[in-house]
């Protein structure tokens, strides 16, 4: 009788629910931030902001179900969480600024996302063919960059809820983040089994309780939230189609597809089911179709959430059905704002403490992949070194590209995208273009997860 792969395993109900809720807790802040930022720029009231946030949760849940359960050739069928991509925030703010009547801003944004999503859906099979140019030297670099690029998010959360506040970065906030981190580590070290696997969820719950005496935990959202609320289709008006907005969102879609490809390769390595061309094509179809349908319910462009890859890496719970349950929770939160408000009570510093573990786990997975990349070869060392440097520019020197046009910043501000492109190009230059069959380096594209065989790695020369 064939053994069920851990990705397709259905766990006991309680474990499925708590593990799914843990995924929601890990990605909640990332889902609600874009609608809050864009909604505030448009000038929405508090009630309308709550509606827009609920709509983003609802559409994230739908996209996650599409990605994990799949229909036809749509969905990677991996434990993949989808939500609002942050890559679209800057272009959407630019669209808001360029729209004279702010009432038209959201319909114009939604129209552009629909077009970009449909174009991405058509182009997904062609985009997925790029997977042959992602050997371990590339995937390991990109996975590491994903983890490192997410670290500033955790550090920002740890400093408090308001970057403009006088107490931002105070000992109170940093202390709560540190306490949460220690709690997660202690649970991971001194427990076993199921309790160990939900260490992050327990850390968030305990950290939230500890934060109450410090006045950091805010329960007001629970009292203000409606019990039931449905994201009415086209609540903000019928979509409008403006050429400039469409072009900018198509660029965002390309960036998003690049990052999703990298995320799928990373997740495939972690769950030991390497993502091949077919899987990536199906996953990109889910991303793009989810994005195209999202504006119907007043949601934004959807993409993979890298922070949840860290959760899979740390807990080793690889079931896609666990993440599907998380998608169900997201839909429930979108339909019942009062439920969503419960997650909203988790203070940002507490999220920051847990985020250090989650995002660090992604970087560690990348380093594991690099052990398969033949780093005893000088060429591969150069590829990793330069691609990592390029990918770290937005983190290490945020003003580095200040003289570039705003449109270029859509790509340059994403270290994951620039590092990925650099790694792919350098791998082609050093390991493929003009290489002789007797050269010392990898001479043919490798599939993700392929081990470096003796035929690919010649014996080391004297003096190396």
């Amino acid at each position: 009788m064939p053994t069920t792969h851990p990705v397709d395993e259905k766990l006991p109900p309680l474990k499925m629910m708590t593990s799914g809720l843990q995924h929601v807790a890990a990605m909640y802040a990332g889902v609600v931030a874009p609608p809050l930022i864009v909604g505030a720029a448009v000038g929405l009231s508090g009630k309308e902001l709550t509606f827009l946030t609920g709509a983003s949760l609802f559409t994230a849940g739908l996209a996650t179900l599409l990605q994990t359960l799949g229909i036809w050739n749509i969905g990677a069928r991996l434990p993949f969480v989808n939500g609002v991509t942050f890559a679209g925030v800057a272009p959407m703010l630019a669209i808001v600024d360029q729209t004279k009547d702010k009432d038209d801003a959201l319909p114009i944004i939604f129209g552009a996302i629909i077009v970009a999503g449909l174009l991405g859906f058509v182009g997904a099979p062609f985009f997925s063919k790029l997977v042959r140019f992602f050997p371990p030297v590339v995937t390991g670099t990109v996975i590491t960059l994903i983890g490192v690029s997410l670290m500033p998010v955790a550090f920002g959360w740890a400093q408090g809820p308001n970057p403009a506040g006088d107490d931002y970065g105070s000992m109170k906030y940093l202390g709560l983040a540190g306490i949460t981190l220690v709690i997660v580590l202690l649970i991971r070290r001194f427990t076993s089994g199921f309790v160990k696997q939900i260490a992050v969820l327990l850390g968030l719950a305990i950290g939230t309780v500890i934060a109450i005496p410090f006045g950091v935990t805010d329960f007001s959202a629970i009292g203000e939230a409606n019990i039931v609320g449905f994201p009415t289709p086209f609540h903000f008006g019928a979509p409008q189609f403006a050429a400039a907005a469409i072009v900018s969102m198509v660029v965002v879609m390309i960036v998003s597809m690049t990052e999703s490809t990298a995320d799928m390769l990373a997740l495939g390595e972690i769950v030991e089911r390497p993502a091949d061309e077919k899987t990536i094509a199906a996953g990109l179809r889910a991303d793009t179709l989810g994005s195209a349908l999202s504006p119907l319910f007043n949601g934004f462009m959807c993409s993979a959430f890298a922070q949840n890859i860290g959760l899979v890496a740390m807990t080793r719970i690889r079931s896609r059905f666990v993440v599907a349950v998380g998608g169900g929770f997201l839909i429930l939160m979108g339909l019942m704002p009062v439920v969503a408000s419960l997650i909203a009570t988790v203070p940002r510093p507490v999220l920051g403490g847990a985020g250090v573990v989650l995002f660090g786990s992604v970087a560690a997975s990348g380093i594991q992949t690099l052990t398969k990349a033949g780093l005893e070869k000088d060429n591969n060392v150069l590829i990793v070194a330069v691609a990592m440097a390029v990918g770290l520019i937005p983190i290490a020197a945020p003003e580095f590209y200040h003289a570039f046009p705003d449109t270029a910043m859509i790509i340059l501000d994403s270290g994951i995208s620039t590092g990925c492109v650099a790694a792919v190009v350098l791998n082609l230059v050093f390991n493929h273009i003009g290489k002789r069959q007797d050269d010392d380096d990898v001479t043919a594209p490798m599939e993700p997860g392929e081990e470096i065989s003796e035929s690919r790695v010649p014996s080391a020369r004297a003096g190396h």
Side-chain angles (χ1 to χ4, degrees):
M1 184 175 180
T3 304
T4 302
H5 192 282
V7 169
D8 299 318
E9 186 180 1
K10 294 181 179 179
L11 306 180
L14 179 61
K15 192 171 185 178
M16 291 264 280
M17 291 183 66
T18 52
S19 300
L21 188 59
Q22 189 169 232
H23 274 284
V24 174
M27 55 93 74
Y28 178 84
V31 173
V32 301
L36 289 175
I37 295 170
V38 176
V42 174
L44 297 182
S45 64
K47 186 176 182 179
E48 294 285 25
L49 271 176
T50 301
F51 178 90
L52 192 64
T53 302
S56 293
L57 291 167
F58 180 77
T59 53
L62 292 178
T64 298
L65 291 180
L66 191 62
Q67 191 68 267
T68 53
L69 302 181
I71 54 170
W72 183 58
N73 291 326
I74 301 171
R77 292 172 174 81
L78 290 171
F80 217 42
V81 175
N82 274 47
V84 182
T85 174
F86 213 89
V89 171
M92 288 191 290
L93 291 178
I95 293 171
V96 173
D97 289 339
Q98 294 164 9
T99 304
K100 293 181 179 179
D101 187 349
K102 299 306 179 189
D103 290 339
D104 292 332
L106 285 175
I108 290 174
I109 289 172
F110 291 149
I113 292 173
I114 290 172
V115 175
L118 293 176
L119 290 176
F121 184 82
V122 173
F126 306 101
F127 200 91
S128 68
K129 294 184 183 300
L130 297 176
V131 70
R132 70 187 300 269
F133 299 113
F134 284 80
V137 70
V138 174
T139 57
T141 301
V142 174
I143 296 167
T144 305
L145 274 174
I146 291 172
V148 174
S149 297
L150 286 169
M151 278 298 179
V153 177
F155 299 150
W157 289 344
Q159 294 180 79
N162 182 14
D166 294 335
D167 59 350
Y168 187 68
S170 67
M171 289 301 297
K172 174 177 67 176
Y173 292 139
L174 296 181
L176 286 171
I179 290 171
T180 304
L181 173 59
V182 170
I183 290 171
V184 174
L185 293 176
L186 289 175
I187 294 173
R188 291 287 299 178
R189 174 64 182 84
F190 295 107
T191 64
S192 60
F194 180 55
V195 174
K196 183 176 182 178
Q197 291 175 325
I198 61 169
V200 172
L201 183 62
L202 293 175
L204 291 173
I206 297 171
T208 300
V209 172
I210 293 174
I212 293 175
F214 294 92
V216 178
T217 307
D218 183 8
F219 293 101
S220 61
I222 298 176
E224 297 172 359
N226 294 327
I227 297 177
V228 178
F230 183 78
T232 313
F234 299 131
H235 176 80
F236 297 98
Q240 300 179 28
F241 303 96
I246 290 172
V247 170
S248 65
M249 296 314 294
V250 166
V251 173
V252 173
M253 177 58 73
I254 294 172
V255 172
S256 176
M257 290 171 75
T258 301
E259 294 190 358
S260 286
T261 298
D263 288 341
M264 275 184 270
L265 291 168
L267 187 59
E269 290 286 330
I270 290 168
V271 302
E272 298 177 355
R273 179 182 278 181
D276 56 16
E277 183 180 317
K278 181 180 178 181
T279 300
I280 290 175
L284 292 177
R285 286 192 190 99
D287 266 10
T288 53
L289 181 61
S291 295
L293 295 176
S294 188
L296 172 65
F297 299 104
N298 314 284
F300 298 115
M301 189 177 290
C302 295
S303 182
F305 265 48
Q307 52 262 53
N308 292 81
I309 296 176
L311 190 58
V312 174
M314 193 193 76
T315 63
R316 304 304 297 169
I317 297 177
R318 295 176 279 181
S319 171
R320 60 190 174 100
F321 297 105
V322 163
V323 177
V325 169
F329 275 123
L330 289 171
I331 293 174
L332 179 65
M333 291 163 70
L335 297 176
M336 299 180 66
V338 69
V339 176
S341 66
L342 292 174
I343 298 291
T345 61
V346 179
R348 288 291 179 88
V350 174
L351 281 172
V356 170
V357 179
L358 295 178
F359 306 156
S361 297
V362 178
S365 296
I367 295 171
Q368 286 180 322
T369 302
L370 284 174
T371 62
K372 308 174 185 178
L375 293 185
E376 70 277 3
K377 302 300 177 185
D378 291 341
N379 284 355
N380 287 344
V381 171
L382 283 174
I383 292 168
V384 175
V386 175
M388 286 289 292
V390 171
L392 288 174
I393 287 175
I395 300 173
E399 301 299 321
F400 188 84
Y401 297 115
H402 74 276
F404 284 72
D406 292 341
T407 51
M409 297 307 293
I410 298 172
I411 298 174
L412 297 178
D413 262 350
S414 171
I416 298 171
S417 295
T418 54
C420 180
V421 171
V424 170
V425 172
L426 288 170
N427 181 57
L428 288 174
V429 171
F430 280 97
N431 287 335
H432 302 296
I433 298 175
K435 296 295 289 185
R436 300 189 308 272
Q437 290 299 315
D438 59 348
D439 278 349
D440 252 355
D441 298 291
V442 179
T443 57
M446 297 168 62
E447 293 299 322
E450 178 185 348
E451 296 288 347
I452 300 175
S453 64
E454 292 182 4
S455 64
R456 287 187 179 272
V457 184
S459 302
R461 295 176 182 172
H464 277 236

